Amino acid sequence: MPAVATLPAWLQRSLIRWGVHPDDHKRPVADLPVERLPLPSRLFLPLQQHVGAPARPVVKIGDHVLKGQLLAESAANISAPVHASTSGRIVDITTYPAPHPSGLEQPVMVLEPDGKDRWIDTAPPADPFALPPTEVGRMVSAAGVVGMGGATFPSAVKLALGLRVQVEILIVNGGECEPYLSCDDRLMRDHAAGVVDGIRLALHAIGAQEARVGIENNKPEAIAAMQQAAAPFPEVRIMPVPAQYPMGSDKQLIQVLTGREVPFDGRAADAGVLVHNVGTCHAIHQAVRLGRPLVERLVTVSGGAVRRPRNVVAPIGATAQALFDYCDGLASAPARVIMGGPMMGNPLATTASPVIKGTSGLLALTQEEVGEGERAGPCIRCASCVSVCPMNLLPLEMAAHIRSDDPDGAFQLGLNDCIGCGCCSYVCPSAIPLSHYFSYAKGALAANERAKLKSESIKKLTTARLERQEREAREKAEAAARRKAEREAAKARAAAQANAATAKAATADVNA
Amino acid sequence: MLAAVASLTVLGAALGLGLGIAARRFHVEPEEIVAELEALLPGSQCGQCGYPGCAGAAQALADGKAPVTLCPPGGKGVAQALAEKLGVSADLSALGESVPMLASVREELCIGCTKCFKACPTDAIHGAVKQIHAVLKEACTGCAKCVDSCPTEAVGLVPVPATLTTWTWHKPGHA
C-alpha cells in the first residue's frame, strides 16, 4: 500500500479504512494562550514515571535540591532518572496514590518548593551536531526524557536502538487524535522552532536522513507554524494527515506516512522507522540545547466539569487537584476523571495523584459526556467493530471468547495486536464494553504468564531443597562414618600404645 | 370448507375449555421459596449437585436436605446468595477461595523456633534460631504447611497484595 500521506488530500480520506471520527472538543481550549501553574505547596515525584525499572533515589530526606537536580538515577537498561521540578527540600520519601485506575500507592519523593525556582548550573554544548550521536543519546538519557505522548518509554533507549539497527526514517507524531487534548497542538504553535530543532537532534542521534512529521489536518495553525519552522531544513517534512482516530497511534501513523506495516510481534524499528512524539522532540531540544532535564510539561485541563479549561504548563509532581483548582475548580462533580485522552486515557481513582511525564491531559467529564447508563445488549453481529478496527481484528469474536472465559482463544485471534484504541466500543450499537474485555483479557493473560514463571521458579526451589536435604543427609552419614572410623583408629592407636607401654614396662622390669 | 372451519373451531373451543377447567381444578400451588431458589441457581441443569436438575436442588435446599454450598459451578457467589435467601449462615471457606494467598509472620508472636522454615517446601521462610523469621514473597506458594507447624500461631495466610504491576482490570459484567 502506498503512503497515504503522499497522495492528494481528497484521496487520503477514502483510503483510510479504519478508525472513527468522534467530536474533537479541542476548541476553544486549543486557541487559548498557555498558562503556567503557580508552584504548589508540595510536589509528589514518583520514582516510576516510565516503562521499565523504577529509578533509584540518590538524595536523602532533608536534602536541599535545585531545580533540575538529579533525585533518582536510572536503575537498569530500561529505566529513566527523575529530577527536581523546582528548588526546595526533600521532605519525605514515601508512598502515594499513583495516577492509575487502581489508585494503589507507589514510591514517591515529596518536594517542598522554596519558591525561588532556582536552576542547577548547566553546561550545554556549543554545537550538539558536532558531538557523536551516542553522546546526544547520553544527554537525552541523563535528562530523563521519556515518550511524552503517554507511552513513557525511555527515549534514549529508543534512540540507541534506532542507531543500532540504522532506521531510515524518523516519524514524528503530531497526530494528537484524542478528543479534548490540544497540548501538542499548542506546543507546535508556540514552540515550533524548538520542536524542529529537537527533531533534527533526534535525527542526528539515530543517524537517519529524513524525518516525517504527521499532523492531523484539524490543526491548520500548527501545520503552518511547523512548516515555517522547518522551511530551512529539507530533511524535516511536515505532512498533514486526515483527522481520523487513532491516527496518533504509532502503527497507524507509520502506515499512513510511509506505507510500511509494523510486523506482528515486531517493533517500529523492524519497519525501518522510529516514532517520537512532538512533545518528546521538544524535551530532547531542551535537554541537549539548554541542558535542562524533563521537569515540566504541557497538560490540557479540560472536560465539561472544568470551569475554565486551559492548556497549563505544570511541574512534574503537581497533583491533578492543583491543576483543577488553578482552572477555577470543577463546576459539578465529574462522572469520571481521566488522565490522558477520553479514548485511551486512564480513569483516575483520586485527584490527589500527581502529573507525571506522560500526562498529556486531565479531563473531568460530566455524566453527559461519559454517556453511560446504557446497559450492554447482546451482540447483533453487525460487524461495525470489525470495520473500524485499525488492526484488522475481529473484536466481536475475541470478546465472545473472553466472555466464556477463554482468553487464550482471543489470543489466537490476535488479542496481542489490539492497541486498545477503543474504536470498537465507540461504535458498538449494543454498547458492549469491547475494549474493557480486551484490557481484562490482556491482564488475565499477563497474570497467567506471571503464574507460569512463578511455578517454574518454585519448581526449581523445591528441587534445590530436595537436593540440599539429600546432600545434607549424605554428608551427615559420611561425617558419622568418618567419626566412627576415627574413633576406631584412636581406639586401635590407644590399644597399640598401651601394648607398647606394657611391653616397655616389661622390658624395664627385666632391665631392673 | 365451511364445515371444516366450523368443526375445527368447535373442536378448538371445546379442548381449550377442557384445558382451562383442568388447569383450575387440578392446580397445585408451587412453594414460592423453591421457585425463588431455583432462580438463584445457574439453571444449567448439570446435575453436579446430585439432584435431578436445578429444580430438584432447589427443592432439596428448601427442605433443608442440602447445604447452600451444593452447587459447584455456582461457586461462592451462588452459595452466598442462597445463604442470604434461606437466612442461614454458611461456612463458605471450603469453597475454593480463588484469591492467591501468601504466608506472613506476625513478628510479635514469633519465637524463632525454626519449625516453619523447616516445613516450607520452597525455602520461602528464612530465619535462624531465636531470630524472627520472615517470608520471601516471591518464593511463597501459600501452601499453609508453615501455618500448621507454628507453635505460637504466628504464621498466617494473607491475600497476596495487589501492586501496580500485578493489578488488572476486572471482567466486565455480563451483557
Side-chain angles (χ1 to χ4, degrees):
Chain A
M1 189 173 146
V4 172
T6 56
L7 301 171
W10 59 269
L11 242 176
Q12 291 183 1
R13 193 60 193 252
S14 55
L15 283 174
I16 293 173
R17 310 192 72 99
W18 43 255
V20 294
H21 193 72
D23 262 354
D24 73 7
H25 295 275
K26 286 179 191 280
R27 290 162 206 264
V29 183
D31 296 324
L32 298 171
V34 169
E35 295 175 19
R36 182 169 279 274
L37 182 76
L39 277 177
S41 58
R42 286 277 166 101
L43 294 172
F44 300 90
L45 296 151
L47 296 177
Q48 177 142 39
Q49 306 182 29
H50 49 263
V51 174
R56 197 185 302 120
V58 294
V59 291
K60 298 188 298 295
I61 295 174
D63 283 2
H64 187 271
V65 295
L66 294 174
K67 186 175 187 178
Q69 186 175 331
L70 183 69
L71 297 185
E73 63 185 6
S74 168
N77 283 340
I78 299 181
S79 182
V82 175
H83 300 80
S85 309
T86 183
S87 56
R89 208 165 56 86
I90 303 293
V91 290
D92 207 356
I93 300 176
T94 176
T95 58
Y96 192 74
H100 188 264
S102 68
L104 287 170
E105 301 205 332
Q106 71 176 141
V108 295
M109 287 195 170
V110 186
L111 175 62
E112 192 177 70
D114 60 10
K116 293 183 189 130
D117 208 25
R118 202 154 70 81
W119 271 98
I120 196 166
D121 290 332
T122 55
D127 180 14
F129 289 100
L131 296 172
T134 48
E135 180 59 18
V136 176
R138 197 199 56 73
M139 291 170 78
V140 172
S141 167
V145 180
V146 302
M148 290 176 74
T152 67
F153 192 83
S155 302
V157 179
K158 257 162 103 172
L159 291 178
L161 174 74
L163 186 65
R164 198 167 64 242
V165 306
Q166 295 194 318
V167 299
E168 298 133 42
I169 305 174
L170 172 68
I171 302 287
V172 180
N173 190 345
E176 198 166 52
C177 55
E178 281 262 13
Y180 292 92
L181 302 188
S182 54
C183 57
D184 287 352
D185 184 6
R186 258 342 300 185
L187 188 75
M188 288 188 281
R189 290 198 214 182
D190 300 340
H191 301 282
V195 174
V196 171
D197 187 59
I199 294 169
R200 293 179 57 236
L201 287 166
L203 273 180
H204 177 59
I206 59 175
Q209 299 304 319
E210 186 191 354
R212 297 186 184 179
V213 188
I215 306 174
E216 278 195 351
N217 60 12
N218 58 359
K219 297 185 256 300
E221 300 89 347
I223 293 172
M226 288 292 285
Q227 274 170 341
Q228 204 188 345
F233 310 110
E235 71 271 28
V236 181
R237 285 172 68 186
I238 310 297
M239 300 171 87
V241 293
Q244 178 84 346
Y245 179 87
M247 185 61 81
S249 157
D250 55 354
K251 287 173 180 138
Q252 278 58 49
L253 193 65
I254 290 169
Q255 198 167 31
V256 169
L257 291 184
T258 67
R260 302 177 190 187
E261 199 171 327
V262 179
F264 163 77
D265 245 7
R267 271 180 284 187
D270 298 324
V273 301
L274 200 67
V275 185
H276 274 302
N277 180 265
V278 285
T280 314
C281 290
H282 188 251
I284 291 174
H285 157 76
Q286 297 250 323
V288 179
R289 286 284 184 184
L290 310 174
R292 291 188 169 178
L294 178 53
V295 294
E296 62 180 27
R297 69 156 297 145
L298 199 49
V299 181
T300 304
V301 185
S302 187
V306 178
R307 280 214 182 82
R308 204 174 59 89
R310 281 290 184 284
N311 274 298
V312 180
V313 177
I316 305 295
T319 61
Q321 189 60 47
L323 270 84
F324 286 132
D325 288 345
Y326 176 72
C327 295
D328 292 351
L330 303 177
S332 58
R336 193 175 290 171
V337 176
I338 294 177
M339 185 169 278
M343 299 291 280
M344 288 183 76
N346 266 330
L348 285 188
T350 160
T351 53
S353 298
V355 164
I356 57 170
K357 292 172 181 177
T359 305
S360 47
L362 281 170
L363 309 177
L365 302 179
T366 59
Q367 191 64 53
E368 208 181 9
E369 289 168 298
V370 173
E372 251 167 316
E374 324 171 50
R375 258 186 71 76
C379 174
I380 56 169
R381 302 187 70 80
C382 65
S384 299
C385 52
V386 178
S387 57
V388 297
C389 179
M391 299 306 290
N392 297 324
L393 300 174
L394 300 170
L396 78 167
E397 290 294 328
M398 297 198 314
H401 278 284
I402 297 163
R403 243 184 88 172
S404 49
D405 290 318
D406 175 24
D408 287 312
F411 178 78
Q412 296 294 328
L413 287 168
L415 178 65
N416 262 18
D417 275 336
C418 167
I419 57 171
C421 65
C423 288
C424 47
S425 306
Y426 181 81
V427 295
C428 181
S430 289
I432 298 171
L434 291 156
S435 51
H436 185 167
Y437 274 108
F438 306 146
S439 305
Y440 155 73
K442 286 173 191 168
L445 287 175
N448 285 351
E449 202 54 39
R450 274 196 302 275
K452 214 182 284 170
L453 285 178
K454 178 157 181 177
S455 78
E456 272 167 27
S457 70
I458 296 290
K459 217 173 277 168
K460 258 185 232 157
L461 283 171
T462 326
T463 43
R465 179 183 157 88
L466 287 176
E467 269 169 28
R468 195 192 64 221
Q469 280 175 333
E470 267 171 34
R471 195 182 62 233
E472 277 172 0
R474 204 171 52 234
E475 279 169 5
K476 217 171 172 180
E478 277 169 12
R482 205 165 45 239
R483 271 200 304 279
K484 198 176 171 193
E486 269 169 22
R487 261 202 313 277
E488 271 164 17
K491 218 185 263 171
R493 253 197 324 275
Q497 264 168 14
N499 281 347
T502 31
K504 223 180 195 172
T507 18
D509 283 344
V510 171
N511 290 347
Chain B
M1 168 72 187
L2 203 69
V5 171
S7 63
L8 275 174
T9 311
V10 170
L11 201 66
L15 285 174
L17 197 70
L19 280 173
I21 291 168
R24 296 250 166 151
R25 179 124 193 180
F26 304 115
H27 180 66
V28 181
E29 195 68 50
E31 282 176 65
E32 220 172 290
I33 185 74
V34 176
E36 278 175 15
L37 288 172
E38 199 187 341
L40 290 175
L41 291 166
S44 50
Q45 322 294 353
C46 67
Q48 285 182 57
C49 53
Y51 293 96
C54 295
Q59 185 63 57
L61 278 166
D63 298 345
K65 286 187 207 146
V68 291
T69 51
L70 86 170
C71 178
K76 200 169 178 176
V78 165
Q80 229 155 12
L82 290 173
E84 245 170 53
K85 177 60 73 189
L86 291 169
V88 297
S89 61
D91 180 22
L92 303 178
S93 57
L95 288 174
E97 180 64 70
S98 59
V99 184
M101 303 295 272
L102 202 62
S104 102
V105 176
R106 288 175 62 188
E107 293 174 0
E108 70 275 18
L109 291 181
C110 179
I111 53 169
C113 69
T114 76
K115 277 189 178 149
C116 57
F117 84 65
K118 280 179 192 149
C120 179
T122 59
D123 289 336
I125 300 183
H126 61 103
V129 180
K130 292 193 177 167
Q131 304 287 319
I132 293 170
H133 303 341
V135 179
L136 294 169
K137 284 182 192 161
E138 294 76 19
C140 177
T141 58
C143 70
K145 279 197 174 153
C146 48
V147 176
D148 302 330
S149 73
C150 182
T152 62
E153 297 187 357
V155 190
L157 288 186
V158 293
V160 177
T163 65
L164 288 177
T165 39
T166 59
W167 183 89
T168 57
W169 285 99
H170 63 90
K171 190 178 175 182
H174 278 275

